Amino acid sequence: MRIVHFSDIHVGCLTRDMTAVADKRAFGLLNYFLRRRRMFDYELVPRAIQRIHVLSPDVVVCTGDLTCVGSPEEFEQARRMLRPLVEAGNWTFVYVPGNHDAYVRSDACAAALRQTFSELNSERWDLAALPCEFRVRDLTFLLVNEARPRAPWLSTGGLPPGDAAALNAWFRAPRRPGEKRILAGHFPCLDAGGKRLSLRRRFDQDRSLSQALRSSQIDVALCGHIHRPFLRDEAGGALEICAGSLTAAGILSVLDYVPDADRFAHFWVDVKGGEQAPAAVPKAMATAGAVE
Ligand SMILES: [Fe+2]
Ligand SMILES: [Fe+2]
């Protein structure tokens, strides 16, 4: 069983919605065009897709931040870029939203996110159905939507009380024989160095996620948000894997589950490295990371 994971492609473009000048999108777009656009190389997306074909995964996961300000125009471009992953048919492609995908309270933006979520997940679920789980052989994936519009100075995320209760119930539920559990969300509970993220950037339920990993109630948490990839392993063997930003770092995370050995194996693939065979790169890509 092979899972290829990437995150945070951050497509950015101007929006036709003039109300954007009066809310958080004005700051986000200014920041994007003055500073962040230079950080992202969108040519890495088709190169990554080529590599994914070579890697031949069973599941491909994108853990959010497709966009910069969550506008319909940005979502349209992101869907176009990622459509080959949906249409390939060789694997199950899964997407969960990041904080930039639910940037402001806007009906048009919310509708674009719902449409994008449904389309990229091949109409399997409505966004409102999350958290929900799906199974691929021994692996059970729980998909969570941690993205909610927040104040302009915040890049935080969190779950409403009902979703948080469902997540905690899933952590505590007994496992099926041989079952491995993988959470797919946007936010890491800790950074690469094992510290909580700052108040301005963290996940509201980071402590319960951290506890679930420490106590091995889940085996793997896949996330993004921090743009430099990292992997943390808990003493009990659970993994938190942040794929970083594909368009900034150019890295794919590859996780193999070997049922006979009952273990996970992980490596990174650098999609900037030409067309040679996938190469392993160091487990920890960074000790600190630029976020969001
Ligand atoms: Fe983020
Ligand atoms: Fe991001």
Side-chain angles (χ1 to χ4, degrees):
M1 274 288 300
R2 171 164 287 182
I3 301 153
V4 173
H5 167 211
F6 68 91
S7 200
D8 292 65
I9 65 170
H10 281 294
V11 171
C13 65
L14 291 173
T15 175
R16 288 183 291 274
D17 182 355
M18 294 309 292
T19 66
V21 299
D23 62 29
K24 185 177 178 178
R25 285 173 289 179
F27 299 106
L29 287 171
L30 205 59
N31 187 25
Y32 174 73
F33 284 105
L34 291 180
R35 190 176 69 89
R36 299 185 81 182
R37 184 165 60 168
R38 292 190 299 274
M39 301 174 188
F40 301 120
D41 177 359
Y42 302 107
E43 285 303 308
L44 293 173
V45 175
R47 291 175 73 163
I49 292 172
Q50 280 180 8
R51 281 302 186 88
I52 290 171
H53 277 279
V54 174
L55 289 161
S56 191
D58 300 281
V59 181
V60 179
V61 179
C62 171
T63 47
D65 277 0
L66 295 180
T67 66
C68 283
V69 300
S71 67
E73 292 87 353
E74 289 179 346
F75 276 119
E76 188 182 340
Q77 285 194 25
R79 288 196 305 271
R80 197 163 54 236
M81 277 187 196
L82 299 182
R83 194 162 291 138
L85 289 172
V86 180
E87 292 176 346
N90 302 348
W91 48 70
T92 302
F93 180 60
V94 173
Y95 154 70
V96 293
N99 54 306
H100 281 255
D101 303 333
Y103 205 61
V104 290
R105 293 186 198 289
S106 148
D107 290 346
C109 294
L113 171 58
R114 285 195 303 272
Q115 180 192 349
T116 302
F117 178 83
S118 295
E119 195 174 310
L120 292 184
N121 288 298
S122 302
E123 316 291 337
R124 284 185 211 92
W125 312 282
D126 288 331
L127 184 58
L130 267 54
C132 69
E133 68 174 37
F134 77 101
R135 294 174 184 173
V136 183
R137 300 199 278 277
D138 292 331
L139 304 186
T140 301
F141 291 79
L142 188 76
L143 311 183
V144 287
N145 176 13
E146 303 166 344
R148 302 289 183 286
R150 295 281 163 98
W153 56 89
L154 294 177
S155 300
T156 53
L159 301 173
D163 289 8
L167 184 66
N168 285 324
W170 190 73
F171 290 155
R172 291 192 304 269
R175 295 182 191 236
R176 290 175 292 120
E179 180 189 30
K180 295 291 167 187
R181 290 184 172 170
I182 299 177
L183 182 83
H186 180 64
F187 288 86
C189 58
L190 299 172
D191 68 14
K195 294 198 178 81
R196 290 184 86 190
L197 275 63
S198 71
L199 276 172
R200 209 174 74 72
R201 293 181 164 121
R202 73 175 55 143
F203 175 45
D204 296 348
Q205 286 80 20
D206 60 347
R207 287 187 192 279
S208 46
L209 174 55
S210 190
Q211 171 61 24
L213 283 165
R214 268 201 311 278
S215 59
S216 298
Q217 288 175 316
I218 57 174
D219 301 290
V220 181
L222 302 177
C223 60
H225 191 55
I226 293 177
H227 286 180
R228 291 180 190 160
F230 68 86
L231 181 151
R232 285 191 320 104
D233 45 354
E234 298 284 351
L239 304 172
E240 181 168 58
I241 303 171
C242 172
S245 166
L246 173 62
T247 47
I251 297 292
L252 293 170
S253 165
V254 185
L255 183 68
D256 290 331
Y257 177 61
V258 187
D260 293 343
D262 189 26
R263 69 177 188 91
F264 287 98
H266 178 267
F267 63 99
W268 306 102
V269 169
D270 183 351
V271 301
K272 298 189 298 293
E275 297 307 311
Q276 70 269 29
V281 296
K283 176 171 122 174
M285 299 294 295
T287 53
V291 277
E292 302 153 35

